Amino acid sequence: MIAGTAPATDLLAPPRRWTVTPVIEIGVLAIAIAIAAGTYVVVAHTGRPEGLIAPGVVALLLVSNLVPGVALMMLFGRRIARRRAARSPVGGEGRLHVRLVALFSIVAAVPMVLVTIAASLLFQYGVQFWYSDRARGVFENATTLTRTSYNQILQRWQEATVTMASDIASELDQRPIEDPQFRAFLFQQTYFRSLSEALLFQVSPKGELQTLAFVNPYDLDLARQVSAEAVGALREGQQSKVTVTGDRIQTVARLPGSSRIFLYAARVTNPKEMTTQTERAEAALANYRALLVRARTLQLRFNAALLLLSLLIVGVAVWIALAVADRLVRPVAELVDAARRVEGGDLAARVQETRDRDEVGTLSNAFNRMTERLEEQNHALVTANAQLDNRRALIEAVMSGVSAGVVSIAPDRTIRLINSSAQMLLGLADPPIGRPLASIAPELERLLDGTAREAIIQLTAAGEARTLAVRIARDGTGPILTFDDITQQLLDQRRAAWSDVARRIAHEIKNPLTPIQLAAERLQRRYGGKVEEGDTTFSRLTETIVRQVGDLRRMVDEFSSFARMPKPVFREESLVDVARQTMFLHEVAHAAIRFEIRHDEPGPMLVCDRRQIGQALTNIVKNAVEAIEATGRNEGAIVMEVLEEDHRAIITVADDGVGLPPERDRIVEPYMTTRARGTGLGLAIVKKIVEEHFGTISFADRPVGGTLVTMTFDTMMLAGVTGRDHDSNDGDGGGIAALTRNRTA
């Protein structure tokens, strides 16, 4: 490598682009907030509150707030553009959207900032004159002039009245009021001074007004024109009092040298017009002063309106930029979407053809022709595979519909195909495709080593022993195993065989038992007294014969009960009563054992055959007693619990005996017993009774030692067979028929 030359990878690497991060956005937002706060401080502490701020300062504040606001608008538009790009088929970072937003924003923002500054300055300099001291002086001088003119008019008529009062006082010194010449003098004074009316009156000590002389061309009640307020002011020492009432300027003056005689004079004029002009001048001045107080507010509002209008225009520009970007990117997005659909296997994907002769239109037409050719070529492959798919679907449908298990094995003895029946029979939750057969069912895998086509095997699936009849078909692709579950079939055959054996044994043995017993009893009665005293051989032998015959008779009865169970008669019974009777019989016979019943109040009711349920409980408790006696202890405990939950009646019998035998899986089979004198039919009869009542029975070891037997009955099912015999009419049993009807309902 030549010294000073950049590595090739650096030369080929794309240049790094300046990117906008959320930190920058937050920084711009913080700057905008800081400038807004600074603007508030400047506005609040600059100049007088009622004066204008310098136009240059306001324009600077306006630009300072406008620039970060425009920047925030652009960043917001950029974020929207990136989100739209992410939702579009093109994806990516939306750089085209961002560039268009930036371009339109700059084009709109730069002239807008300049126009905003010019408009702000023009407006402020234009209105600055109206808020100057010169304009304020003009308004104040005009108002003062109007007020002075008004006061001068009132003063003129007040002075005329005071002068007239002085002249009247001089005249009264020369002649009395009753003199006719005095009345002429009063009229002349009123006329010469251009007054409309006059009244000379005095006020009595009681405050009553007494008319002395008057000039009244308008025939008014002049005494009512004199206000008590004016008289009170004169009596307190004031020389005269002028008031404006209606269309008259009224003046009341005190005659010089007298404290009780007063002169009232009035001038009819239009004082309302003068008052209105004065009020208008005052109102104009007040409005101007209010406008001065609001000058800064109006200035700030105008500039705030300019700021909002500018930001609105920039926002509209950003929105237009987004719309234009969407329109420009849409054809590219359609091409990308169609390409991805083709990538996903949709060869019918097309883009909208356009008449434009630009590059995008040419690319769209070429893309449509390409996908059309691909679709034609793919159609042939699809047609060829359709037949294979139909055949495979037919095989799968047949396999899923048959009750027998079917497993197809690959040459390496892994499972290639398995149906749902095979999964159920083998106790598998998920299809074991690809797994070795030896890890699923070693018994089936060993059959593949031989040449036999059929076999019967036993295996354990999901904790349950099953017997399967297996058939093996071999072809070039690997063996196919088909098998059926014959466990129940074998069990039914075995029970039927044992029932037949029991009937035969009962028939063959029961007939000679009665003669043997009668003969032995007859020998005891006839020859018992003839035997020499002390010789007990004869009696012992005859008693042995009678006892053994009784044992044989009981055995034959058990054989008969197993071979031909009576029909159960279903009625609603109290399980607690049945359990109490059972426990009472054994409690009397075995005083050393503690018997306990636990149940809820009042206890569950069950539709059942009371005699058969009692027989089943008796056999279970009898086995529990024998299990306790087998321990060699003289005492023990048997606890029976009767309860009901979720429409199920549950009976549990727990003992602390020797526990279950090793052959626990076969203890309910006929003639299976671990006791020397047992027949092996007790639990078989119990299981048959429980099944006749649509229930289940289970056996388990107690953690503290002993056995726990649990019988569970469905109360809802049994409720539908009330009062019916289990094996009536159609041979399938009235109870089963009722159960079927109950389920259908």
Coordinates of all heavy atoms in Angstrom, one line a residue, residues 23-91:
V23 N -32.5 13.4 20.0 CA -31.9 14.4 20.8 C -31.9 15.8 20.2 O -32.2 16.8 20.9 CB -30.4 14.0 21.1 CG1 -29.7 15.0 21.9 CG2 -30.4 12.6 21.8
I24 N -31.7 15.8 18.9 CA -31.8 17.1 18.2 C -33.2 17.7 18.2 O -33.4 18.9 18.4 CB -31.3 17.0 16.7 CG1 -29.8 16.6 16.7 CG2 -31.5 18.2 16.0 CD1 -29.2 16.3 15.4
E25 N -34.2 16.8 18.0 CA -35.6 17.3 18.1 C -35.9 17.9 19.5 O -36.5 18.9 19.6 CB -36.5 16.1 17.8 CG -36.4 15.6 16.3 CD -37.3 14.4 16.1 OE1 -37.8 13.9 17.1 OE2 -37.4 14.0 14.9
I26 N -35.4 17.1 20.5 CA -35.7 17.6 21.9 C -34.9 18.9 22.1 O -35.4 19.9 22.8 CB -35.2 16.6 22.9 CG1 -36.1 15.3 22.8 CG2 -35.3 17.1 24.3 CD1 -35.7 14.2 23.6
G27 N -33.7 19.1 21.5 CA -32.9 20.3 21.7 C -33.6 21.5 21.0 O -33.7 22.6 21.6
V28 N -34.2 21.3 19.8 CA -34.9 22.4 19.1 C -36.1 22.8 19.9 O -36.4 24.0 20.1 CB -35.3 21.9 17.7 CG1 -36.1 23.0 17.0 CG2 -34.0 21.7 16.9
L29 N -36.8 21.8 20.5 CA -38.0 22.1 21.3 C -37.6 22.9 22.5 O -38.3 23.8 22.9 CB -38.7 20.8 21.7 CG -39.9 20.9 22.6 CD1 -41.0 21.7 21.9 CD2 -40.5 19.5 23.0
A30 N -36.5 22.5 23.1 CA -36.0 23.2 24.3 C -35.6 24.6 24.0 O -35.9 25.6 24.7 CB -34.8 22.5 24.9
I31 N -35.0 24.8 22.8 CA -34.6 26.2 22.4 C -35.9 27.0 22.1 O -35.9 28.2 22.5 CB -33.7 26.1 21.1 CG1 -32.4 25.5 21.4 CG2 -33.6 27.5 20.5 CD1 -31.5 25.2 20.2
A32 N -36.9 26.4 21.5 CA -38.1 27.2 21.3 C -38.8 27.6 22.6 O -39.3 28.7 22.7 CB -39.1 26.3 20.4
I33 N -38.8 26.7 23.6 CA -39.4 27.0 24.9 C -38.6 28.1 25.5 O -39.1 29.0 26.1 CB -39.5 25.7 25.7 CG1 -40.4 24.7 25.1 CG2 -39.9 26.1 27.1 CD1 -40.5 23.4 25.8
A34 N -37.2 28.0 25.5 CA -36.4 29.0 26.1 C -36.6 30.4 25.4 O -36.7 31.4 26.1 CB -34.9 28.6 26.0
I35 N -36.7 30.4 24.1 CA -36.9 31.7 23.4 C -38.3 32.3 23.8 O -38.4 33.5 24.0 CB -36.8 31.5 21.9 CG1 -35.3 31.2 21.5 CG2 -37.2 32.7 21.1 CD1 -35.1 30.9 20.1
A36 N -39.3 31.4 23.9 CA -40.6 31.9 24.3 C -40.6 32.5 25.7 O -41.2 33.5 26.0 CB -41.6 30.7 24.2
A37 N -39.9 31.8 26.6 CA -39.7 32.3 28.0 C -39.0 33.7 28.0 O -39.3 34.6 28.7 CB -39.0 31.3 28.9
G38 N -37.9 33.7 27.2 CA -37.1 35.0 27.1 C -38.0 36.1 26.5 O -37.9 37.3 26.9
T39 N -38.8 35.8 25.5 CA -39.7 36.8 24.9 C -40.6 37.3 26.0 O -40.9 38.6 26.0 CB -40.4 36.2 23.8 OG1 -39.5 35.7 22.8 CG2 -41.3 37.2 23.1
Y40 N -41.2 36.5 26.8 CA -42.1 36.9 27.9 C -41.4 37.9 28.8 O -41.9 38.9 29.2 CB -42.6 35.7 28.6 CG -43.5 36.1 29.8 CD1 -44.8 36.5 29.6 CD2 -43.0 36.0 31.1 CE1 -45.6 36.9 30.7 CE2 -43.7 36.4 32.2 CZ -45.0 36.8 32.0 OH -45.8 37.1 33.1
V41 N -40.1 37.5 29.2 CA -39.4 38.4 30.1 C -39.1 39.7 29.5 O -39.3 40.8 30.1 CB -38.1 37.7 30.5 CG1 -37.2 38.6 31.4 CG2 -38.4 36.4 31.3
V42 N -38.7 39.7 28.2 CA -38.4 41.0 27.6 C -39.6 41.9 27.5 O -39.6 43.1 27.7 CB -37.8 40.7 26.2 CG1 -37.7 42.0 25.4 CG2 -36.4 40.1 26.3
V43 N -40.8 41.3 27.1 CA -42.0 42.0 26.9 C -42.5 42.6 28.3 O -43.0 43.7 28.4 CB -43.1 41.2 26.3 CG1 -44.4 41.9 26.3 CG2 -42.7 40.8 24.8
A44 N -42.3 41.8 29.3 CA -42.8 42.2 30.6 C -41.9 43.3 31.3 O -42.4 44.1 32.1 CB -42.9 41.0 31.6
H45 N -40.7 43.4 30.9 CA -39.8 44.4 31.6 C -39.2 45.4 30.7 O -38.2 46.1 31.0 CB -38.6 43.6 32.2 CG -39.1 42.6 33.3 ND1 -39.5 41.4 33.0 CD2 -39.2 42.8 34.7 CE1 -39.9 40.8 34.1 NE2 -39.7 41.6 35.1
T46 N -39.8 45.7 29.5 CA -39.3 46.7 28.6 C -40.2 47.8 28.5 O -41.4 47.7 28.2 CB -39.1 46.1 27.2 OG1 -38.2 45.0 27.2 CG2 -38.6 47.1 26.2
G47 N -39.7 49.1 28.9 CA -40.5 50.3 28.8 C -41.7 50.3 29.7 O -41.8 49.5 30.7
R48 N -42.6 51.3 29.5 CA -43.7 51.4 30.3 C -44.8 50.4 29.9 O -44.9 50.1 28.7 CB -44.3 52.9 30.1 CG -43.4 54.0 30.7 CD -44.0 55.3 30.4 NE -44.3 55.5 29.0 CZ -45.0 56.5 28.4 NH1 -45.5 57.4 29.2 NH2 -45.1 56.6 27.1
P49 N -45.6 49.9 30.8 CA -46.6 48.9 30.4 C -47.6 49.4 29.4 O -48.2 48.7 28.7 CB -47.3 48.6 31.8 CG -46.3 49.0 32.8 CD -45.5 50.2 32.3
E50 N -47.9 50.8 29.5 CA -48.9 51.3 28.5 C -48.2 51.9 27.2 O -48.9 52.4 26.4 CB -49.7 52.4 29.2 CG -48.9 53.7 29.5 CD -48.1 53.6 30.8 OE1 -48.2 52.5 31.4 OE2 -47.5 54.6 31.2
G51 N -46.9 51.7 27.1 CA -46.3 52.2 25.9 C -45.9 51.1 24.9 O -46.0 49.9 25.2
L52 N -45.5 51.6 23.7 CA -45.1 50.6 22.7 C -43.7 50.2 22.9 O -42.9 50.9 23.5 CB -45.3 51.2 21.3 CG -46.7 51.6 20.8 CD1 -46.6 52.3 19.5 CD2 -47.5 50.3 20.7
I53 N -43.4 49.0 22.5 CA -42.1 48.5 22.4 C -41.4 48.9 21.1 O -42.1 49.0 20.1 CB -42.0 46.9 22.6 CG1 -42.7 46.5 23.9 CG2 -40.6 46.4 22.6 CD1 -42.8 45.0 24.1
A54 N -40.2 49.1 21.1 CA -39.5 49.5 19.9 C -39.7 48.5 18.8 O -39.7 47.3 19.0 CB -38.0 49.7 20.1
P55 N -40.1 49.0 17.6 CA -40.4 48.1 16.5 C -39.3 47.1 16.2 O -39.5 46.0 15.8 CB -40.7 49.0 15.3 CG -41.1 50.3 15.9 CD -40.4 50.4 17.2
G56 N -38.0 47.6 16.3 CA -36.9 46.7 16.0 C -36.8 45.5 17.0 O -36.6 44.4 16.6
V57 N -37.1 45.8 18.2 CA -37.1 44.8 19.3 C -38.2 43.7 19.0 O -38.0 42.5 19.1 CB -37.2 45.4 20.7 CG1 -37.3 44.3 21.7 CG2 -36.0 46.3 21.0
V58 N -39.4 44.2 18.7 CA -40.5 43.3 18.4 C -40.2 42.5 17.2 O -40.5 41.3 17.2 CB -41.8 44.1 18.3 CG1 -42.9 43.2 17.9 CG2 -42.1 44.9 19.5
A59 N -39.7 43.1 16.1 CA -39.3 42.3 14.9 C -38.3 41.2 15.3 O -38.4 40.1 14.8 CB -38.9 43.2 13.8
L60 N -37.3 41.6 16.1 CA -36.3 40.6 16.5 C -36.9 39.4 17.3 O -36.6 38.2 17.0 CB -35.2 41.3 17.3 CG -34.0 40.3 17.7 CD1 -33.3 39.7 16.5 CD2 -33.1 41.1 18.6
L61 N -37.8 39.8 18.2 CA -38.5 38.7 19.0 C -39.3 37.8 18.1 O -39.4 36.6 18.3 CB -39.3 39.3 20.1 CG -38.6 40.1 21.2 CD1 -39.5 40.7 22.1 CD2 -37.6 39.1 21.9
L62 N -40.0 38.5 17.1 CA -40.8 37.7 16.2 C -40.0 36.7 15.4 O -40.4 35.5 15.3 CB -41.6 38.7 15.2 CG -42.5 38.0 14.2 CD1 -43.6 37.3 14.9 CD2 -43.1 39.1 13.3
V63 N -38.9 37.1 14.9 CA -38.0 36.2 14.1 C -37.4 35.1 15.0 O -37.3 34.0 14.6 CB -36.9 37.0 13.4 CG1 -35.9 36.1 12.7 CG2 -37.5 38.0 12.4
S64 N -37.1 35.5 16.2 CA -36.5 34.5 17.1 C -37.5 33.4 17.4 O -37.1 32.3 17.6 CB -36.1 35.2 18.4 OG -35.1 36.2 18.2
N65 N -38.7 33.7 17.5 CA -39.7 32.7 17.8 C -40.1 32.0 16.5 O -40.5 30.8 16.6 CB -41.0 33.3 18.4 CG -40.8 33.7 19.9 OD1 -41.0 32.9 20.8 ND2 -40.3 34.9 20.1
L66 N -40.1 32.7 15.4 CA -40.5 32.1 14.1 C -39.5 31.0 13.7 O -40.0 29.9 13.2 CB -40.7 33.1 13.1 CG -41.2 32.7 11.7 CD1 -42.6 32.0 11.8 CD2 -41.3 33.9 10.7
V67 N -38.2 31.2 13.8 CA -37.2 30.3 13.3 C -37.3 28.9 14.0 O -37.5 27.9 13.3 CB -35.8 30.9 13.4 CG1 -34.8 29.8 13.1 CG2 -35.7 32.1 12.4
P68 N -37.3 28.8 15.3 CA -37.5 27.5 15.9 C -38.8 26.9 15.7 O -39.0 25.7 15.6 CB -37.2 27.7 17.4 CG -37.4 29.2 17.6 CD -37.0 29.9 16.3
G69 N -39.9 27.7 15.5 CA -41.2 27.2 15.2 C -41.2 26.5 13.8 O -41.8 25.4 13.7
V70 N -40.6 27.2 12.9 CA -40.5 26.6 11.5 C -39.7 25.3 11.6 O -40.0 24.3 10.9 CB -39.9 27.6 10.5 CG1 -39.6 26.9 9.2 CG2 -40.9 28.7 10.3
A71 N -38.6 25.3 12.4 CA -37.8 24.1 12.5 C -38.6 23.0 13.1 O -38.4 21.8 12.7 CB -36.5 24.4 13.4
L72 N -39.4 23.3 14.1 CA -40.2 22.2 14.7 C -41.2 21.7 13.7 O -41.5 20.5 13.6 CB -41.0 22.7 15.9 CG -40.1 23.0 17.2 CD1 -41.0 23.6 18.3 CD2 -39.5 21.6 17.7
M73 N -41.8 22.6 12.9 CA -42.7 22.1 11.8 C -42.0 21.2 10.9 O -42.5 20.1 10.5 CB -43.2 23.3 11.0 CG -44.3 24.1 11.8 SD -45.9 23.4 11.7 CE -46.9 24.6 12.4
M74 N -40.8 21.5 10.5 CA -40.0 20.7 9.5 C -39.7 19.3 10.2 O -39.8 18.3 9.5 CB -38.7 21.4 9.1 CG -39.0 22.7 8.3 SD -37.5 23.6 7.9 CE -36.6 22.4 6.9
L75 N -39.3 19.3 11.5 CA -39.0 18.1 12.1 C -40.2 17.2 12.3 O -40.2 16.0 12.1 CB -38.3 18.4 13.5 CG -37.0 19.0 13.5 CD1 -36.5 19.3 14.9 CD2 -35.9 18.1 12.8
F76 N -41.3 17.9 12.6 CA -42.6 17.1 12.7 C -43.0 16.5 11.3 O -43.4 15.3 11.2 CB -43.7 18.0 13.2 CG -45.0 17.3 13.4 CD1 -45.2 16.4 14.4 CD2 -46.1 17.6 12.5 CE1 -46.4 15.8 14.6 CE2 -47.3 17.0 12.7 CZ -47.5 16.1 13.7
G77 N -42.8 17.3 10.3 CA -43.1 16.7 8.9 C -42.2 15.6 8.6 O -42.6 14.6 8.0
R78 N -40.9 15.7 9.0 CA -39.9 14.7 8.8 C -40.4 13.4 9.5 O -40.3 12.3 8.9 CB -38.6 15.1 9.2 CG -37.5 14.0 9.2 CD -36.2 14.5 9.8 NE -35.2 13.4 9.8 CZ -35.2 12.5 10.8 NH1 -36.1 12.6 11.8 NH2 -34.3 11.5 10.8
R79 N -40.8 13.5 10.7 CA -41.2 12.3 11.4 C -42.4 11.7 10.8 O -42.5 10.4 10.6 CB -41.5 12.7 12.9 CG -41.9 11.5 13.8 CD -42.0 12.0 15.2 NE -40.7 12.3 15.8 CZ -39.9 11.4 16.3 NH1 -40.3 10.1 16.3 NH2 -38.8 11.7 16.8
I80 N -43.4 12.5 10.3 CA -44.6 11.9 9.6 C -44.1 11.2 8.3 O -44.6 10.2 8.0 CB -45.6 13.0 9.4 CG1 -46.1 13.6 10.7 CG2 -46.7 12.5 8.5 CD1 -47.1 14.7 10.5
A81 N -43.2 11.9 7.6 CA -42.7 11.3 6.4 C -42.1 9.9 6.6 O -42.3 9.0 5.9 CB -41.8 12.2 5.7
R82 N -41.3 9.8 7.7 CA -40.6 8.5 8.0 C -41.7 7.5 8.4 O -41.5 6.3 8.0 CB -39.6 8.7 9.1 CG -38.4 9.6 8.7 CD -37.5 9.9 9.9 NE -37.0 8.6 10.5 CZ -35.9 8.1 10.2 NH1 -35.2 8.6 9.2 NH2 -35.5 7.0 10.7
R83 N -42.7 7.9 9.1 CA -43.7 6.9 9.4 C -44.5 6.4 8.2 O -44.8 5.3 8.1 CB -44.7 7.5 10.5 CG -44.1 7.7 11.8 CD -45.1 8.2 12.9 NE -44.5 8.3 14.2 CZ -45.1 8.8 15.2 NH1 -46.4 9.1 15.1 NH2 -44.5 8.9 16.4
R84 N -44.8 7.4 7.3 CA -45.5 7.0 6.1 C -44.6 6.1 5.3 O -45.1 5.1 4.7 CB -45.9 8.2 5.3 CG -47.0 9.0 5.9 CD -47.5 10.1 4.9 NE -48.6 10.8 5.5 CZ -49.3 11.8 4.8 NH1 -48.9 12.1 3.6 NH2 -50.3 12.4 5.4
A85 N -43.4 6.4 5.2 CA -42.4 5.5 4.4 C -42.4 4.1 5.0 O -42.3 3.1 4.3 CB -41.1 6.2 4.4
A86 N -42.4 4.0 6.4 CA -42.3 2.7 7.1 C -43.6 1.9 6.8 O -43.5 0.7 6.7 CB -42.1 2.9 8.6
R87 N -44.7 2.6 6.6 CA -46.0 1.9 6.4 C -46.1 1.5 4.9 O -46.9 0.6 4.6 CB -47.2 2.7 6.8 CG -47.3 2.8 8.3 CD -48.7 3.3 8.7 NE -49.0 4.6 8.1 CZ -48.8 5.7 8.7 NH1 -48.3 5.8 9.9 NH2 -49.1 6.9 8.1
S88 N -45.4 2.2 4.0 CA -45.6 1.9 2.6 C -44.8 0.7 2.2 O -43.9 0.2 2.9 CB -45.0 3.1 1.8 OG -43.6 3.2 2.0
P89 N -45.2 0.1 1.1 CA -44.5 -1.2 0.7 C -43.0 -0.9 0.5 O -42.2 -1.9 0.5 CB -45.2 -1.5 -0.6 CG -46.5 -0.9 -0.5 CD -46.3 0.4 0.2
V90 N -42.6 0.3 0.2 CA -41.1 0.5 -0.1 C -40.3 0.4 1.2 O -39.3 -0.2 1.2 CB -40.9 1.9 -0.7 CG1 -39.5 2.2 -0.9 CG2 -41.7 2.0 -2.0
G91 N -40.9 0.9 2.3 CA -40.2 0.8 3.5 C -39.0 1.8 3.6 O -39.0 2.8 2.9

